[in-house]
Amino acid sequence: MKTIAVLGSTGSIGTQTLEVVRENNDLQVAALAAGSNIVLLEKQIREFAPKAVAVWDEKSASELKESVKDLDVKVVSGMEGLIEISTLPEVEILVTAIVGMIGILPTIEAIKAKKDIALANKETLVTAGHIIMPLAKECGVRILPVDSEHSAIFQSLNGENPKRIGKILLTASGGPFRGKTKSFLEKVRLEDALKHPNWAMGQKITIDSATLVNKGLEVMEAKWLFGVDLDKIQVVIQPQSIIHSMVEYVDGAIMAELGTPDMKLPIQYALYYPDRKYLGGERLDFWKLSQITFEKPDMDTFLGLPLAFQASKAGGSMPTVFNAANERAVSKFLHKEIRFLDIYDIIMYCMEEHKTIQNPTVEEILATEQATYELIESRW
Ligand code: NAD
Ligand code: MG
């Protein structure tokens, strides 16, 4: 039996994690956390019988308390609640499928409490990788990637000496606007940006895939997870999303993980690592597929990628500014308050205005996030 807790259980990764639990009788759920969708959370409580749940919003937490009072489940709220359920003694693996920098503190506390982390929340490593990775090493816990690209890299590193990595080939679908020009992007609507060609994901990450900001965040995530320099990470557009990423070794050999796009595979792999379990679903049919193609990313049009490299090179608090500016810009785009290309303008403006703090503490990271939000509100 393995006992897990899922932060963000009502989201795209969270619900797919629970599907994996449903299909395996040796996994059990000790705790769940969600933002405000208490209708779905209540259903999950009734099905998976966790010992405790956290709801961010206090009012929703009281409502939920009332509706599950026939059950033996503790309902907590806010950051304190998130930390409480992330560090429950029985939890062995914490799945961080929450969206945003809110994931940093619970992840840190879970690591200190010696829980392995199945990490989907890329913002945690992007902004606090310099704190998380050494802490995980010190506490002897594993950071198991859930992001499909990082899982593919992780699988391609199995049994290899990480010192022999030549480079990491991070694949990207290119999103719904691959091949389009700047003038086309000026006119795109929210509905177009939400149509990802291969993956069904949460709204925020879907927009990030269209801007290539997601790939930029993944470059930074890979840098921390695998301890490689930025210049050893190359982004390759692979529009069919069949090759989930690759590692090239010093002798020129390339290892890759391929398959049909299904997030349940990386989720399940993280939960059972280093073992593999049966997973239902479609298998890759090479006859039907017939070809896998490659392209160079268009860095002049899709500024999400070059801006991420720039933020990562500056280091310190700059990736936080990149991430926070993007988070707020995407939220405005989702509310139809700004146009698609304004997302880049907002990120650029915030990065230009920021004076990098090297080696920021968690407090400084969260203060930088807040300052970035305030800067945006003062102008847009
Ligand atoms: P989503 O928007 O579908 O779900 C987010 C979840 O977080 C929801 O359950 C929501 O209730 C919860 N949440 C939000 N704010 C909260 C708060 N303050 N307190 C408690 N819970 C809160 O997002 P998603 O697409 O599942 O993505 C989650 C994370 O995984 C993101 O960091 C994303 O970048 C990463 N990721 C997602 C995918 C994917 O396929 N969806 C792939 C790779 C990585
Ligand atoms: Mg990914």
Side-chain angles (χ1 to χ4, degrees), residues 122 147-149 214-215 218:
K122 56 190 83 179
D147 211 337
S148 59
E149 293 78 1
N214 182 50
K215 212 44 60 179
E218 290 184 354

Side-chain angles (χ1 to χ4, degrees), residues 8-14 33-36 56 82 97-100 102 120-123 147 200-202 205 263:
S9 65
T10 57
S12 160
I13 295 287
S36 56
W56 182 253
L82 273 182
I98 209 165
V99 64
I102 201 105
N121 177 265
K122 56 190 83 179
E123 297 88 342
D147 211 337
M201 308 180 284
I205 183 171
M263 284 309 295

Side-chain angles (χ1 to χ4, degrees), residues 2 4 6 8 11-21 24 27 93-97 117-120 144-148 151-152 154-155 199-200 257 262-273 275 277 279:
K2 255 190 195 167
I4 68 167
V6 186
S12 160
I13 295 287
T15 51
Q16 293 181 88
T17 302
L18 293 178
E19 277 175 47
V20 170
V21 173
N24 290 285
L27 288 175
I93 305 182
L94 176 70
V95 182
T96 62
I117 308 293
L119 183 127
L144 304 155
V146 167
D147 211 337
S148 59
S151 176
F154 190 55
Q155 293 178 59
W199 299 94
E257 187 256 327
D262 181 356
M263 284 309 295
K264 276 193 286 191
L265 172 64
I267 294 169
Q268 181 171 289
Y269 189 76
L271 296 180
Y272 284 102
Y273 174 81
D275 204 359
K277 292 266 286 186
L279 178 66

Side-chain angles (χ1 to χ4, degrees), residues 107-158:
T107 306
I108 289 180
E109 293 308 318
I111 294 173
K112 286 187 189 157
K114 306 259 191 285
K115 318 291 184 197
D116 282 335
I117 308 293
L119 183 127
N121 177 265
K122 56 190 83 179
E123 297 88 342
T124 302
L125 282 187
V126 166
T127 61
H130 62 291
I131 297 169
I132 302 281
M133 294 312 288
L135 183 67
K137 199 168 171 200
E138 186 191 316
C139 298
V141 315
R142 296 185 292 204
I143 308 287
L144 304 155
V146 167
D147 211 337
S148 59
E149 293 78 1
H150 304 76
S151 176
I153 295 162
F154 190 55
Q155 293 178 59
S156 303
L157 280 165
N158 243 342

Side-chain angles (χ1 to χ4, degrees), residues 58-120:
E58 214 165 297
K59 192 167 155 275
S60 309
S62 333
E63 278 173 49
L64 181 70
K65 230 178 241 171
E66 192 53 34
S67 52
V68 295
K69 64 176 181 216
D70 58 315
L71 302 172
D72 187 18
V73 58
K74 184 174 180 192
V75 181
V76 292
S77 69
M79 183 51 78
E80 225 170 275
L82 273 182
I83 292 176
E84 182 177 337
I85 67 151
S86 305
T87 53
L88 284 181
E90 49 272 76
V91 172
E92 291 163 78
I93 305 182
L94 176 70
V95 182
T96 62
I98 209 165
V99 64
M101 277 181 248
I102 201 105
I104 301 175
L105 283 172
T107 306
I108 289 180
E109 293 308 318
I111 294 173
K112 286 187 189 157
K114 306 259 191 285
K115 318 291 184 197
D116 282 335
I117 308 293
L119 183 127

Side-chain angles (χ1 to χ4, degrees), residues 223-283:
K223 174 186 127 165
W224 288 114
L225 268 174
F226 307 111
V228 294
D229 290 338
L230 268 191
D231 57 9
K232 284 195 171 176
I233 305 175
Q234 185 183 341
V235 175
V236 178
I237 305 287
Q238 203 286 279
Q240 300 83 11
S241 299
I242 297 298
I243 302 180
H244 300 143
S245 279
M246 309 176 257
V247 178
E248 184 185 296
Y249 289 93
V250 285
D251 59 358
I254 296 174
M255 302 289 167
E257 187 256 327
L258 285 73
T260 50
D262 181 356
M263 284 309 295
K264 276 193 286 191
L265 172 64
I267 294 169
Q268 181 171 289
Y269 189 76
L271 296 180
Y272 284 102
Y273 174 81
D275 204 359
R276 284 187 189 275
K277 292 266 286 186
Y278 174 79
L279 178 66
E282 215 188 313
R283 297 300 187 248

